[in-house]
Amino acid sequence: MSSTEPFDLVIRGGRVMDPETGRDEIADVAIRAGEIVAIGPDLGPAQVELAAAGLIVAPGFIDIHAHGQSVAADRMQAFDGVTTSLELEVGTLPVAPWYDKHRRQGRVLNYGTAAAWMSARKQVMVGYQPRDVSALTMMGDRIDDLRWQQDVADDAQVAGIVALIREGIEAGGIGIGIPNAYAPGAGVKEMTEVCQLAADTGTPTFTHVAFVSNVDPRSSIEAYIRLIGYAGATGAHMHICHLNSTSGLDVERAAELLRKAQAQGLPITVEAYPYGTASTVVSAAFFADPNYRTRTGRDYDAVQVVTTGYRFTSRDDLLQAAAKTPGELILHHFLDVENGGPHRRYLDVSVTFPGGSIASDAMPWVDATGAIYEGEDWPLPEDVFAHPRSSGTFTRFFRQYVRERRLVPLMEAIAKCTLIPASVVEGCAPGMRRRGRLQPGAVADVTVFDPETIGERATFAAMNRPAEGVVHLLVNGAPVILGGELQTEARPGQPIQRRAGA
């Protein structure tokens, strides 16, 4: 195509911000064939022109911890500024059919998955037959035989687990998902072998640390020390998921230890989301701990059913629910950040961690029965539910930490949502080296937002309200949001996969 022909699309007159080069100026951004081809003043004509005066033009946000993985989840995350949504903490096995399914269905956002250590463990230790289900549904499977959760694997079993994970990596998986706290019986020898596989293949691990507790033994601090040891002993890139929720009341000490490990050159990265409430499945092993109250500093009423709002009254109450519906989604109110006190400071430590990513841990949307919503209605039906972070993680971060509280400078905030998460993945997914940037040659994943209005609208009482402030959103150069309106037919998402030789 001649350079004199109109561009496919030009974003006119916005404040263009690129966290890699430090570019921060009023300019046009020109796009052709899904790629940014020029940035500068008064660029030529285009087939489509988007007004951006008074708006921030930034790389699309990259969410490296998103469990939704559906059209409905993508749409809600699009209004949160997200252009790439990756299932990396849990992952899936087998990997190839997962990518095939999403290609056939079509996705709004870019998508990808890690290879699932937990699924491999279930397959080897209890004969689990993988189903075509979400990662979180898989986590609730085979609750009838808890050897996969509680037992140490023998040498032959470890070899089988590692072999299945290797197959997942070779099939395109862009990480190893290790939610260790959900199978706390796994031994250090097993974890060392899995981490050695990660190091040998240049694959990052995405870890939910082994213990979630504020007291020894088996405290969160012990879990972080183990993780630091895995990085040092094997050379594996250990990415820590949701530093906020796994550290609990010990986050200041945990952050100190992690910074010291990073200063020694260990390949450790972190992420957090700006909420003091977590979400997971009711059958998570740490809720069944007889010493839950002592170990977490919370009572059972801190655990709440997503769909009904019911709060548990006792351990027996919770265990009965876990036996009946092990995959049911719950909320876990681990910090009280709305009423002042030290809990807000604890959350701030994780969210503002230097060089840390923002990641949502976005949950799937479920209907009133707890089944995952697979429909494509827009707006979302009133009777579907998820954690509010599935609607407004990145926008909440910009509202609270950038605009209102001024704890994070704007360029740093953009980096925490774009360049930094891209750098976690790009070692084994080279295509990510052209995302998370806003410069010629980069893929045209672009978020255009109003810094004065950006913010979440979802609450725990109204979870499915789209965020506000994202005016335009492009995925691979194709408009998904224009003038604040969703383009409901848009399916421009592309797979993010490992490449041979990466």
Side-chain angles (χ1 to χ4, degrees), residues 27-152:
D28 295 348
V29 177
I31 294 165
R32 189 177 275 146
E35 180 179 304
I36 298 171
V37 293
I39 298 176
D42 303 319
L43 298 182
Q47 297 176 34
V48 177
E49 298 192 4
L50 303 181
L55 306 177
I56 304 298
V57 183
F61 302 158
I62 296 168
D63 191 352
I64 55 177
H65 189 163
H67 299 301
Q69 302 300 315
S70 68
V71 168
D74 282 355
R75 286 169 166 175
M76 294 300 277
Q77 287 210 287
F79 281 94
D80 205 23
V82 174
T83 55
T84 297
S85 174
L86 305 175
E87 166 57 83
L88 300 181
E89 181 210 26
V90 178
T92 193
L93 275 179
V95 165
W98 187 92
Y99 279 108
D100 291 342
K101 171 187 174 181
H102 289 276
R103 282 192 189 93
R104 290 193 306 270
Q105 291 180 340
R107 288 285 297 274
V108 179
L109 308 182
N110 303 313
Y111 55 93
T113 187
W117 163 77
M118 181 184 288
S119 179
R121 202 167 208 273
K122 290 184 177 186
Q123 290 178 56
V124 169
M125 298 189 72
V126 298
Y128 174 59
Q129 297 298 312
R131 300 186 292 144
D132 183 14
V133 296
S134 78
L136 293 192
T137 303
M138 179 275 291
M139 292 173 72
D141 283 346
R142 291 310 309 267
I143 207 73
D144 60 307
D145 185 345
L146 293 181
R147 287 177 297 160
W148 65 265
Q149 184 184 94
Q150 299 172 352
D151 288 4
V152 174

Side-chain angles (χ1 to χ4, degrees), residues 6 28 139 148 155 160 219 274 289 292 310 320 403 408 453 471:
D28 295 348
M139 292 173 72
W148 65 265
D155 289 349
S219 66
D289 189 328
Y292 164 82
Y310 176 75
Q320 288 174 17
R403 184 172 72 243
V408 182
T453 63
V471 180

Side-chain angles (χ1 to χ4, degrees), residues 20 25 43 89 122 141 346 358 373:
E20 185 170 63
E25 63 182 357
L43 298 182
E89 181 210 26
K122 290 184 177 186
D141 283 346
Y346 297 156
I358 301 300
Y373 175 72

